[in-house]
Structures are given as C-alpha cells and as structure tokens.
Amino acid sequence: MISGLLKEIKESDVLSELKTFDTRYQENDTPDVYKKCLSFLDLTSLNITDNHARIEALTQKAVEMPEHYGVPSVAAICVSPLFIETVGVTLGNNETIGIASTVGGFPLSQTYLEVKMLECSMAVENGADEVDMVFDLGEFLTGNYEEVKSEIEIIKEEISGDALLKIIIESGEIKNPSFIRTASLLAMEAGADFVKSSTGKTPVSATPEAAVIMCHAIRDFYEATGMKKGIKLAGGITTAEQAVHYYTIVKEILGETWLTPELFRIGASRLANDLLSKITGKPVVFF
C-alpha cells in the first residue's frame, strides 16, 4: 500500500464535514445540476426477471431520451453479461452511451478466479466498454490485502486496457470508515479506474458518509501519484435530492474537474424518472 496514505478515520469527523456542505446542497439544487446528474448516470437493470426484450426497451428509451426531453444522454447502460450484445445492437451507431457489465460472479464475487477472468474477457469481447466487479470482500476483512490486490491486478491485465475497470468495495458491508478508505486505496493501487461503493444488493448501499471517505481517498491518491481515478456511487439512489447531495460531495472534495462522466458515475434506474420529473416540472415515468 502507498506509504503514508493509510490513516484512521473518525466517523464524527465525517459527519462534521457533511454538515459543512448543507448550504452547498441548496445552491446545487437546480435544473442544470439535474441534467448533469443524468449525464453521470449508469442506467442500470440487474434483476433476476430481466430478459432481452426488457433490456432492448430500456436501451431504446435511453437513446430517445435526449431528443424527447432536451437533456444529455446517460453515460452508460449497465446490465448483466448476458445482455451486453442486446444493448450493443440496440444502440447501433450511438457512440455517446457506453455499455457497462457486471462481471466476476456478481454480486458475491465468490467464484473461481478463472471464471472471473473468462467472464471479464467475454464481456469485453462481446462489446462491454466498462466492467464492474466486486473485490474479494471476505479476504479483505481478514486483512489479506495482497491476495485482494493480486486478483484485481489479474483482472486488469485480462481486459488489457480495452475497458474501464470499476471495482466495487461494498462499503455498506465494510462499515468501518478507516477500512472503507483502505479498500478504496487498495483498489486504485491495483489498477481500478473507478472505485464503486456498492452492488445495490445489500441492506446498506451508497451513503453520503462513504462517499466522503472515498472522495478523500481518491484525492489523496491523485496527489500522491498524479493519477485521477473515478468514483461511482450506486444502490438506493432514487431521488434528485440524493443525486444532488452526492454531486455536491464530489464537487466540494474533488473539485469541478471530477464532474464529468469520465470520473463520476451514479448507478441507478428509478433516479432517471425523478430527475426528468424535476427538469420538466411534471411527473415522468420514462423508465
């Protein structure tokens, strides 16, 4: 681990910092910010009931949304590996919206490394621009950091720079603020392009507290290495108000340069409807 970046984080300090953003939330509660949040969105469908027709319809709506509502395109469509080609075919020549896929035995990540490698390579071969994989949380919690890091490095090499690698640390299961920071740093050092908070499949997913800790880890990593890493917040983010809160945290800690789809994502589905409703001033159920 990079020397000097590991440190103890007090929950009370995180909560105190969040309070300092209160007035900033209000300032950012505007239609322009809602539109920016749409542009950061990984429009996600990861349900056991998903099928090709459903994913095709979701993707087609995402393609039509900018013209229909006068808003930016979402950053990506995030689906299970089975539906990568469906998204690609439906997108056609649209190069604005990326294709993201969960990989590596998502959401538990409790499968053979060889299976994770194969799933990642197949996802990229079939058209994924980005892959989202849970790191080995069980080994991390036992302190076996080298094994966790090694697996991420192997997956990074497997996709050979052909896709962005988003590593999910499942912050709601880690809970301890200092460990959330350590997990974020470990993922970045191992080659993650993004650190992602959650799968959305656990009782606690993204939280403002975790977002603060992750942002500070990303900022400190950048200052130590010169490498900019992205942040993705996912799980339970359903309202424009929540999106604005996360936007504000990223802006205040990481700065304006992180407020692009290249460095900031929000993983959600229902959030799109609420953002569109706030932008248009009338109820929208588009997705």
Side-chain angles (χ1 to χ4, degrees), residues 70-186:
V71 295
S73 294
V74 298
I77 308 290
C78 185
V79 294
S80 299
L82 183 63
F83 304 110
I84 293 170
E85 290 184 276
T86 300
V87 175
V89 169
T90 309
L91 286 176
N93 295 325
N94 186 308
E95 296 181 356
T96 305
I97 301 173
I99 304 173
S101 175
T102 54
V103 293
F106 180 91
L108 299 180
S109 196
Q110 300 284 8
T111 189
Y112 304 106
L113 175 58
E114 292 81 2
V115 172
K116 295 180 183 182
M117 293 167 64
L118 179 60
E119 192 171 42
C120 285
S121 63
M122 288 181 68
V124 174
E125 183 179 343
N126 287 331
D129 305 299
E130 310 167 4
V131 293
D132 295 34
M133 187 184 83
V134 182
F135 81 152
D136 193 332
L137 180 58
E139 291 300 326
F140 174 80
L141 292 175
T142 66
N144 194 353
Y145 298 163
E146 285 305 314
E147 182 168 335
V148 176
K149 182 181 176 184
S150 175
E151 181 173 276
I152 297 171
E153 290 172 338
I154 290 169
I155 295 300
K156 179 73 172 181
E157 184 175 352
E158 187 68 26
I159 61 177
S160 303
D162 294 325
L164 289 176
L165 176 60
K166 304 193 197 105
I167 292 296
I168 306 166
I169 63 170
E170 208 68 282
S171 58
E173 291 296 297
I174 295 176
K175 299 181 177 66
N176 183 297
S178 300
F179 288 176
I180 292 173
R181 178 181 173 86
T182 300
S184 301
L185 291 168
L186 183 64

Side-chain angles (χ1 to χ4, degrees), residues 20-65:
T20 68
F21 300 152
D22 285 349
T23 57
R24 301 299 187 191
Y25 299 142
Q26 298 170 19
E27 294 171 4
N28 292 326
D29 192 22
T30 68
D32 282 345
V33 171
Y34 302 151
K35 290 180 181 180
K36 286 181 181 179
C37 288
L38 268 178
S39 76
F40 305 145
L41 187 62
D42 280 1
L43 188 62
T44 302
S45 189
L46 300 170
N47 305 303
I48 196 170
T49 54
D50 283 343
N51 54 61
H52 292 285
R54 172 184 169 85
I55 299 303
E56 180 180 350
L58 177 76
T59 305
Q60 187 59 45
K61 286 183 177 181
V63 170
E64 296 169 356
M65 185 185 71

Side-chain angles (χ1 to χ4, degrees), residues 11-23:
E11 186 176 359
S12 58
D13 290 339
V14 176
L15 294 173
S16 295
E17 183 171 6
L18 278 170
K19 286 185 178 296
T20 68
F21 300 152
D22 285 349
T23 57

